[in-house]
Structures are given as C-alpha cells and as structure tokens.
Amino acid sequence: MPGTRNSGLLALGGIALAAVLAVLGHLEVSDDLNPWSLTVSDFAVSDRGGVIDTAMAVLAAATVVLLPALRRAGAGRLAGTLLVAWSAGLLAAAVVPTNEPGLPMDTAAYLHRYASVVAFLALPVAGWLLARPLGGRAAGWLRGLALTSVLLAAVMVWSAYPGDRLLIGLAERVLILAEVALLAVVAATLAGHRVGGVAVPRGWEYRQLADVSREVTPARGA
C-alpha cells in the first residue's frame, strides 16, 4: 500500500526532525538550567515559541499523519482517539506555557501540566492497543515500550510529589525517549521494509494477503 508506506515515511521524517529540534533547544538555553532537575517545559518557557515548542508541534503533526494509515491497518477507534489526545495534548502544552522555574503556578501552568499528563498517558495506551493490529515484531516492541512508559510516568509522578522533584528532569526525558521510540516503531512498521526493491508484508498485511488468497483459490474438484 503506497499510501500507508508514504505516511509511515513522512511520520518518521517528522519524528526525526522533532528530535533534532528538541536537542537544539537544550543547547541554546542558559547554562544555569539543569536538565536533571528541570523539565523540558522549564527549558521551553525560557524560549517561548522557540525550537522546543516547534518540536512538540512537529511531533503532534507526525502523529496525525499516521491516523489514516492506521485505520487502513485495522486499528480500532479507541487507539485513534488516544493518538488524537496525545497530539492535542502536545499542541496545548506547546501553545500554553508553564510558569518560570521557582514561580507559583498560575492557570496557564496548570493547563500546561494537565495537557502534558493527558499526552503522556494516552500514547502508551494507544501503543498497547496498536500492538495487535500491527502484529509481527512490532507488537513486542510496542507492548514493551508501553509498559516502560507507564512505569516511567509513575516514577515522574513520585518525583513531582513525595519525591520533592528529585531528578524529575531525568525521569521526564527518559519517558519522552520511550514514548517517541514507541511512535517511531508505529511509523516504521507502517513504512515497512524493502528487500531487493520488494516491500515485505508486515503483521496486518499478511492477514489481508491470506484473506485474498482464500478468495481467489479455486475450490477443490472444480
């Protein structure tokens, strides 16, 4: 399916671009900001509308690109809804800033926080649900990364409240890495692999080919 493959490749390009922008955003901020104790949002607020906010918007757009291809792959409505929630949460967090480090949280900061929470929780659940329709090796990776993301989210919650923000920046960045990797697995699976210029079917494609084969195979004795 050329459309499915193109969607996967386009999404992979967007994910790679978002990763590069996020790294650049960390290099451009003040040396006074500590990535181990401050979140990505704390870095982004120091450069409103900068590359980190752009990276979040690009990642959201890359996810949206995958939605039609996932529907063709047999993904359920709930998985698609969760991916929309992830994208919307990313966009909201990019548009609505958190507070400057050390300042009391205002309404915008709370909106930013809960938009981020929705995004962080929606993607691993979507990844778990996508494991079955995508199938193959991707299923194991998606389930593993989904469980890892949930565990890291729990670590981050502990750090934010009883842990007195101990290494919250580190916990969040590892969580983001796991979730971006999950999204990349989805995109790469849809993009597929080529061997000698021929696309190799993956999971759900094998099932479709099997159905077609049964339809065109002549009945015995005909």
Side-chain angles (χ1 to χ4, degrees):
M1 293 185 182
T4 297
R5 177 176 171 80
N6 291 340
S7 295
L9 291 174
L10 183 59
L12 281 174
I15 293 167
L17 176 59
V20 171
L21 290 174
V23 172
L24 291 176
H26 280 70
L27 297 177
E28 291 182 355
V29 298
S30 169
D31 292 338
D32 296 334
L33 298 180
N34 186 343
W36 309 128
S37 59
L38 296 176
T39 65
V40 173
S41 297
D42 293 329
F43 275 62
V45 76
S46 68
D47 182 28
R48 286 303 304 151
V51 289
I52 292 180
D53 290 332
T54 303
M56 296 166 67
V58 170
L59 194 58
T63 304
V64 172
V65 167
L66 293 173
L67 294 176
L70 286 170
R71 283 196 294 270
R72 290 194 295 269
R77 182 176 299 178
L78 179 56
T81 301
L82 289 168
L83 288 176
V84 170
W86 150 261
S87 299
L90 281 180
L91 283 176
V95 172
V96 182
T98 188
N99 56 290
E100 293 280 353
L103 296 180
M105 292 189 66
D106 56 14
T107 301
Y110 278 110
L111 180 58
H112 177 96
R113 170 182 287 182
Y114 292 114
S116 300
V117 169
V118 168
F120 282 143
L121 294 180
L123 184 59
V125 178
W128 184 273
L129 294 175
L130 290 173
R132 184 174 181 179
L134 293 183
R137 292 183 179 179
W141 278 104
L142 290 174
R143 292 189 179 106
L145 288 167
L147 290 174
T148 300
S149 297
V150 171
L151 177 60
L152 289 168
V155 171
M156 190 174 172
V157 169
W158 175 87
S159 176
Y161 294 100
D164 196 27
R165 296 180 65 87
L166 176 66
L167 296 179
I168 191 171
L170 175 60
E172 185 193 46
R173 284 165 177 79
V174 178
L175 169 60
I176 292 171
L177 181 63
E179 298 211 351
V180 171
L182 186 155
L183 194 62
V185 169
V186 174
T189 303
L190 293 174
H193 294 295
R194 288 184 176 270
V195 178
V198 179
V200 178
R202 306 290 298 269
W204 56 275
E205 292 175 312
Y206 278 120
R207 293 195 293 273
Q208 289 183 338
L209 288 174
D211 292 340
V212 172
S213 177
R214 285 194 294 270
E215 291 177 3
V216 302
T217 300
R220 292 184 178 180

